Amino acid sequence: MPDAGENGLDSEFASAEDSTGLMLWRLTNAWQAAQRAALRPFDLTHVQFVLLASLAWLDTDGPTTQRELSRHAGTDPMMTSQVLRTLERKDLVERRGHPTDARARSLRVTAAGAELARHATTAVEGVDQRFFTPLGAERAAFTRMLRVVLGPAS
């Protein structure tokens, strides 16, 4: 077993603040807290918002299946199904028979869901604008780097 460093850990980093993983963890927690606060007035959790807004985005191209929505949002298919049931109970999403696939259900955003998604998107993008302001002109480069890390499926 390798010897532990000065910090008691077998780490490549001299300082915890040099760890990309720890910095991503801290950044993600701070960003999610800001998003939760912005979404609270809309009675939406962050994942509910992501799926509702993603469906509204995809809805413009015709029928969307749960699998397509899950893939677009990067969410687990089972969790997507559970969240969609909640959105359906809130009358924000409806499921219908798919026009070309008898086994699939077509998802649609209701008028109320579309209206809520529009308002919530404004709030969420406002949080992003404020949160990522320190990046300045490097924000687009940061987003490109995130896509690189996520890989081609993103």
Side-chain angles (χ1 to χ4, degrees):
M1 183 172 212
D3 289 335
E6 286 181 29
N7 57 19
L9 300 174
D10 182 25
S11 174
E12 67 182 279
F13 303 108
S15 167
E17 283 72 28
D18 294 333
S19 167
T20 306
L22 178 61
M23 292 299 97
L24 181 60
W25 169 258
R26 290 172 55 185
L27 178 74
T28 300
N29 282 327
W31 177 79
Q32 286 181 343
Q35 293 294 359
R36 280 191 303 271
L39 289 166
R40 198 169 293 121
F42 301 101
D43 191 29
L44 289 173
T45 66
H46 196 196
V47 70
Q48 287 172 356
F49 165 75
V50 168
L51 290 173
L52 181 64
S54 292
L55 183 56
W57 183 277
L58 294 170
D59 215 7
T60 62
D61 294 333
T64 301
T65 65
Q66 184 174 307
R67 179 175 294 184
E68 291 165 337
L69 177 61
S70 176
R71 190 175 16 248
H72 176 83
T75 53
D76 174 75
M78 185 61 81
M79 188 259 307
T80 298
S81 177
Q82 293 168 349
V83 173
L84 283 171
R85 280 195 291 276
T86 300
L87 294 173
E88 196 171 22
R89 280 193 300 275
K90 291 181 172 188
D91 293 322
L92 301 174
V93 168
E94 58 186 22
R95 301 180 207 216
R96 299 179 180 166
H98 194 277
T100 60
D101 185 348
R103 298 166 296 154
R105 303 284 285 163
S106 176
L107 304 170
R108 300 296 303 211
V109 174
T110 64
E115 183 72 13
L116 185 62
R118 273 193 297 281
H119 292 296
T121 295
T122 299
V124 163
E125 288 182 357
V127 167
D128 284 351
Q129 191 64 37
R130 291 184 299 280
F131 193 86
F132 294 110
T133 290
L135 294 174
E138 299 299 317
R139 183 174 172 188
F142 179 71
T143 303
R144 283 192 299 277
M145 286 187 269
L146 291 173
R147 281 197 301 266
V148 168
V149 173
L150 285 171
S154 64

